[in-house]
Amino acid sequence: MGHAKVSKSEEKVNSVGIITIRTTRETMPYTVQGAMDTNSGKMLDRQKAISKGILNTVDGTYLDLRSGTKMLMGDAVDKELFEVEFDMNAEGTIHEEVLKTYSVHAVYDRKKRRNLKFHEAVAEGIIDQGTGDYVDTSSGETMSAETAINKGYIKATLNKDSKEKSTSGAGSGATPKTSA
């Protein structure tokens, strides 16, 4: 009979952090006064933006001329690509809460120029455990976790169960979690 060699592989434990970002969005009626021409970097009045194809009032979109990217007007307002006047007296204001949960794999320490495990970043004060905010160790600037994720300082994956809903509760937070 032959002999089989059995070997046990090393068990790997990863430190993963969970950050939940809770954003409240308030949507109210507005009128577009002007739109950004990304080629020139200038804000154009409404009519000129329409004539250049930047603002499309029929399908409610904004066209970034430099990149060729088309986006919904609401997204362009969020990115400050429109100059708008909000109708503060209008009915129909919508309050919506967006919950996004991220699994954090690494946090970049800008001063030391290296990635840290989530629990190390919390212990060193780079991630505020109560708010989930990121502290830039190079400049001392504090930014939201979402901004830090977008800048690449927090390496994270958006969990599939994240959703938009109307709800109430506390703000953002960071929770260390260890998985085997």
Side-chain angles (χ1 to χ4, degrees), residues 133-144:
D133 288 344
Y134 172 88
V135 178
D136 183 334
T137 53
S138 180
S139 68
E141 175 191 3
T142 298
M143 63 187 78
S144 71

Side-chain angles (χ1 to χ4, degrees), residues 3-126:
H3 296 297
K5 183 176 181 183
V6 177
S7 63
K8 181 179 176 185
S9 63
E10 182 180 326
E11 187 175 316
K12 185 177 179 183
V13 176
N14 292 323
S15 175
V16 177
I18 303 295
I19 292 180
T20 300
I21 299 170
R22 184 182 310 250
T23 307
T24 302
R25 234 189 300 190
E26 184 176 77
T27 307
M28 65 177 61
Y30 58 84
T31 304
V32 175
Q33 303 295 318
M36 177 64 68
D37 178 340
T38 52
N39 280 335
S40 69
K42 294 182 181 173
M43 189 65 72
L44 306 178
D45 68 48
R46 177 186 172 89
Q47 289 308 313
K48 189 155 192 151
I50 291 170
S51 68
K52 285 188 90 171
I54 296 169
L55 170 60
N56 185 329
T57 56
V58 174
D59 66 5
T61 58
Y62 168 87
L63 175 64
D64 182 330
L65 294 178
R66 188 174 346 132
S67 69
T69 305
K70 197 180 228 188
M71 65 185 81
L72 294 174
M73 288 174 63
D75 294 333
V77 169
D78 290 344
K79 293 180 180 189
E80 299 179 358
L81 296 169
F82 281 142
E83 218 171 67
V84 298
E85 183 176 305
F86 289 100
D87 185 352
M88 304 303 261
N89 299 318
E91 291 185 27
T93 299
I94 300 167
H95 297 275
E96 172 180 48
E97 192 162 86
V98 180
L99 293 175
K100 293 181 181 175
T101 303
Y102 292 88
S103 294
V104 179
H105 308 286
V107 178
Y108 188 66
D109 182 332
R110 294 197 63 218
K111 191 172 191 175
K112 294 178 183 173
R113 296 179 181 230
R114 66 184 184 99
N115 283 325
L116 300 174
K117 293 179 180 174
F118 181 79
H119 71 275
E120 294 171 328
V122 170
E124 292 188 24
I126 298 171

